[in-house]
Amino acid sequence: MKNNILIVIPARGGSKGIPRKNIRSLNGKPLLSYVIKTALISSYNPDIYVSSDDEEILAIAEKYGVNIHNRTSKNAQDSTTLDPVIYNAFKHASKVNEKKYDIIVTIQPTSPLLSVRSLDKALEKILGNQDIDTIISAKEDTHLTWKKENGAFVPNYEKRVNRQYLPPTFKETGAFLITKEYVLTEESRIGSKVDLYLLSGAESIDIDTYDDWNLCEYYLKRKKVLFVVAGYEKIGLGHVYNTLLLANDILNHEVYFLVDEKSDLAYKKICERNYTVYKQKGKNIIDDIRLLNPDVVVNDTLDTSPKYIMDIKNAGAKVVTFEDLGRGAQFADLVINAMYPENEILPNHYFGHRYFCLRDEFLLSPTKKIRDSVKNVLLTFGGVDPNNYTHKVLESIYEYATDNDIEIKVVAGFGYDKFNTLECFENIKIAENSSNISKYMHQADIIFTSAGRTTYEAAAIGTPTIVMAQNNREMTHFFASKEFGFMNLGLGFSLSKQTILSSFRKLVESVDRRKHMSNMMKDVDLKQGRKNVNYLISQALEG
């Protein structure tokens, strides 16, 4: 059986707090238009009336395709409650449409962020429950509160406890008041059996002040930014750390993550940082992206295809892609590549160390002062160290370091799982998944690392660094070279223990070489890179 539902939107012309509030432009559209659009797309196909005493308001309402009710001046006074306004509009609609309405809904224009999902769920609830006469939108408002009695302030609570231990209290919002027809009179819209529908976040905002207005503007201008990222043992977690850093700098937009079906490590790491993260469910990750409906996709998954990029753009999102050497990059709206050289100049492609994003700990860290003798060496090979270079370097330098009183420290990444191979090296110190690796880099006199993002971090500190690439792709990382002060030994798995030891000894036994390497590193300005990238992404977000 079809239920007849009437929505009445009261919109008086004489608002005082914000003059002409109901038709003022909120993010480019009249305030009134937001609740009209929400009502129009309700799955319950309600009849919609705007009730006003103001001709301009009524004219705007008609342009948005809804009916109008010309309110009498008697019902447009500052002291007039909404009960007679809604009752008279109900009587007018019933007569004009020759309908008996089952449900009457009041929606106020001051709740522009109300979603149709919440409206329809509240309607579903009251229609399906004979024990509810009225549903009122509300928000939880449990706080330590006070009242004034006989000129003195007294608490509204018996015991001063943390908020979560107080009896819950709820505050009405102006979003909606839904009532059954038999309840409605000229004096009341609320029956004896009342339920509350709780709204939260942006939906609960009720515009009474300019501060409320500005907050709504903020929410309406927010974009949905989806980071699509990969991170598993074979490729490490560098992409994850990069996107987490970028997400942390995006404060004015909604940020969430999507990882592919292989990226359990990435999923776990992002969860640790309390971001909303989804794991691929569809056969094609594009299906998941479409369901999440982002405005901008920030892609950090290595090489992309033209079809992948165009599928995202055809879904209505802009595409920013990092370290993308695939053919799809030429179709992206923005390409940022701090790791690899590019062979051709293309619009909106930015590459080189000027676009590397340092973490806060490196932006704030002092640079290294080179000591005459080597007292400390650091081994850190990324999130997973797939080739277990940690063990290989220890095999190569452990005896020499021990004989020369050089302390060895290992910082193992989030995904490193080969600790059993290190048990034979008694005199080493191991830190797992350190959140402050800059401290270890600054303490070290020499660093061993792979050819990824850690080389930029080492350069920001200025600690002489020996590089061993984990794979052929890392061999193309242009920054980890002698031009920028690194000793790059090439692919680590093809190196002999003697080569590794010989390279280490060259640095240990030559303070001049270490100082020269450090100075070359410090000559590179890396601290501006994150600002450069944030600016480019903000341009993409703002369009």
Side-chain angles (χ1 to χ4, degrees):
M1 176 180 170
K2 184 180 182 298
N3 292 282
N4 292 325
I5 295 174
L6 172 67
I7 291 179
V8 180
I9 302 171
R12 194 164 66 96
S15 54
K16 294 289 192 293
I18 303 176
R20 307 295 290 162
K21 173 171 63 178
N22 289 317
I23 55 173
R24 288 183 79 154
S25 177
L26 177 68
N27 195 36
K29 299 174 185 176
L31 174 63
L32 176 64
S33 70
Y34 290 93
V35 291
I36 289 177
K37 287 185 175 181
T38 298
L40 284 169
I41 60 175
S42 169
S43 60
Y44 287 91
N45 298 313
D47 291 337
I48 305 164
Y49 277 77
V50 170
S51 173
S52 181
D53 61 319
D54 187 281
E55 289 186 7
E56 187 178 4
I57 290 175
L58 294 173
I60 288 174
E62 284 188 305
K63 288 179 180 177
Y64 277 94
V66 296
N67 304 298
I68 61 171
H69 171 242
N70 207 326
R71 193 188 309 184
T72 64
S73 59
K74 176 186 173 184
N75 283 335
Q77 304 303 310
D78 290 343
S79 59
T80 306
T81 67
L82 285 180
D83 295 326
V85 172
I86 304 305
Y87 182 78
N88 288 337
F90 156 69
K91 285 294 188 181
H92 172 78
S94 300
K95 182 178 180 181
V96 169
N97 297 321
E98 298 180 344
K99 276 186 182 179
K100 184 181 185 306
Y101 289 103
D102 305 292
I103 299 291
I104 295 88
V105 184
T106 308
I107 299 181
Q108 297 195 55
T110 50
S111 295
L113 302 180
L114 171 67
S115 71
V116 70
R117 179 177 180 273
S118 294
L119 174 62
D120 281 0
K121 277 188 167 292
L123 285 168
E124 179 185 359
K125 189 173 187 180
I126 196 170
L127 287 167
N129 194 327
Q130 293 181 346
D131 294 326
I132 299 175
D133 292 331
T134 307
I135 290 182
I136 302 173
S137 64
K139 62 180 179 180
E140 186 176 354
D141 195 37
T142 307
H143 288 90
L144 294 167
T145 60
W146 294 66
K147 61 187 175 184
K148 198 170 186 178
E149 286 184 353
N150 301 321
F153 289 102
V154 294
N156 281 324
Y157 51 87
E158 295 179 3
K159 187 177 180 181
R160 191 173 183 87
V161 294
N162 290 338
R163 177 183 171 186
Q164 62 265 35
Y165 300 113
L166 290 168
T169 58
F170 306 96
K171 178 180 178 181
E172 288 186 32
T173 76
F176 53 73
L177 190 154
I178 305 173
T179 198
K180 291 178 178 174
E181 181 274 338
Y182 58 77
V183 168
L184 187 66
T185 69
E186 198 163 5
E187 290 77 34
S188 178
R189 292 170 291 146
I190 300 176
S192 60
K193 296 176 285 188
V194 176
D195 195 13
L196 297 183
Y197 188 95
L198 297 185
L199 301 175
S200 60
E203 281 195 275
S204 68
I205 298 173
D206 194 4
I207 297 180
D208 287 322
T209 66
Y210 285 104
D211 286 341
D212 299 329
W213 189 282
N214 291 334
L215 187 57
C216 278
E217 285 268 10
Y218 160 73
Y219 277 110
L220 288 166
K221 288 179 179 177
R222 283 205 315 172
K223 302 287 179 64
K224 292 181 178 180
V225 184
L226 175 64
F227 286 90
V228 180
V229 61
Y232 45 91
E233 185 168 353
K234 183 177 179 181
I235 66 171
L237 291 173
H239 306 282
V240 176
Y241 291 123
N242 186 54
T243 51
L244 284 170
L245 188 62
L246 294 169
N248 197 50
D249 285 338
I250 298 175
L251 301 176
N252 296 323
H253 302 282
E254 183 181 355
V255 170
Y256 47 115
F257 284 79
L258 172 65
V259 302
D260 63 40
E261 56 192 356
K262 295 183 293 185
S263 294
D264 292 328
L265 280 176
Y267 183 85
K268 187 175 180 182
K269 173 56 66 177
I270 296 165
C271 284
E272 273 187 6
R273 302 292 180 89
N274 297 318
Y275 282 103
T276 300
V277 55
Y278 303 91
K279 187 179 286 187
Q280 177 184 348
K281 291 182 178 179
K283 187 174 181 181
N284 188 331
I285 199 168
I286 289 293
D287 297 329
D288 297 79
I289 293 172
R290 288 195 187 102
L291 285 173
L292 293 170
N293 192 32
D295 296 298
V296 176
V297 171
V298 181
N299 194 76
D300 201 339
T301 58
L302 295 178
D303 301 346
T304 62
S305 68
K307 184 178 187 306
Y308 172 79
I309 298 294
M310 291 309 300
D311 281 347
I312 296 174
K313 295 184 75 170
N314 289 334
K318 289 186 176 180
V319 183
V320 179
T321 185
F322 280 81
E323 296 179 25
D324 189 347
L325 301 182
R327 291 189 301 114
Q330 62 184 299
F331 300 99
D333 297 284
L334 175 63
V335 178
I336 300 173
N337 187 349
M339 307 296 288
Y340 306 100
E342 294 205 12
N343 297 323
E344 58 178 323
I345 305 298
L346 293 171
N348 300 321
H349 282 228
Y350 299 85
F351 58 94
H353 62 265
R354 293 180 62 244
Y355 303 99
F356 184 80
C357 296
L358 284 172
R359 287 177 284 161
D360 289 336
E361 61 175 302
F362 292 98
L363 293 174
L364 301 172
S365 292
T367 54
K368 176 74 178 176
K369 183 178 180 181
I370 302 300
R371 295 184 288 208
D372 290 338
S373 59
V374 172
K375 300 294 184 185
N376 190 309
V377 60
L378 172 66
L379 280 59
T380 179
F381 286 99
V384 294
D385 188 10
N387 295 301
N388 202 7
Y389 288 169
T390 303
H391 178 264
K392 185 166 189 173
V393 172
L394 284 170
E395 277 191 316
S396 305
I397 71 167
Y398 181 77
E399 185 176 342
Y400 173 82
T402 302
D403 291 344
N404 288 276
D405 295 321
I406 299 173
E407 185 178 53
I408 301 175
K409 293 180 180 177
V410 173
V411 173
F414 179 81
Y416 186 74
D417 60 0
K418 304 175 183 69
F419 291 103
N420 62 308
T421 67
L422 311 183
E423 292 173 356
C424 58
F425 304 105
E426 297 179 358
N427 298 318
I428 64 171
K429 294 182 178 179
I430 301 176
E432 295 183 44
N433 192 26
S434 172
S435 60
N436 189 16
I437 194 173
S438 60
K439 175 183 72 174
Y440 294 98
M441 289 186 169
H442 194 268
Q443 292 171 349
D445 297 295
I446 297 172
I447 297 171
F448 278 90
T449 191
S450 48
R453 288 176 171 80
T454 311
T455 56
Y456 290 87
E457 296 169 348
I461 300 291
T463 302
T465 299
I466 298 172
V467 175
M468 298 164 55
Q470 294 276 7
N471 49 54
N472 287 321
R473 188 180 179 102
E474 277 197 3
M475 288 289 289
T476 66
H477 290 189
F478 69 93
F479 187 71
S481 67
K482 60 184 179 182
E483 178 185 354
F484 297 105
F486 294 90
M487 181 182 286
N488 192 328
L489 305 185
L491 284 170
F493 52 77
S494 64
L495 297 171
S496 67
K497 289 188 289 185
Q498 183 57 43
T499 299
I500 295 170
L501 175 59
S502 174
S503 302
F504 180 54
R505 290 186 61 170
K506 283 180 183 178
L507 293 191
V508 171
E509 295 166 9
S510 174
V511 64
D512 289 338
R513 187 189 292 263
R514 297 199 308 277
K515 286 182 177 178
H516 180 61
M517 291 172 68
S518 180
N519 288 335
M520 292 180 74
M521 289 176 165
K522 293 172 189 175
D523 282 343
V524 181
D525 179 14
L526 294 172
K527 294 192 175 183
Q528 187 65 29
R530 189 161 144 194
K531 290 182 180 178
N532 294 337
V533 171
N534 284 332
Y535 173 77
L536 292 171
I537 290 178
S538 70
Q539 293 294 101
L541 285 168
E542 299 304 326

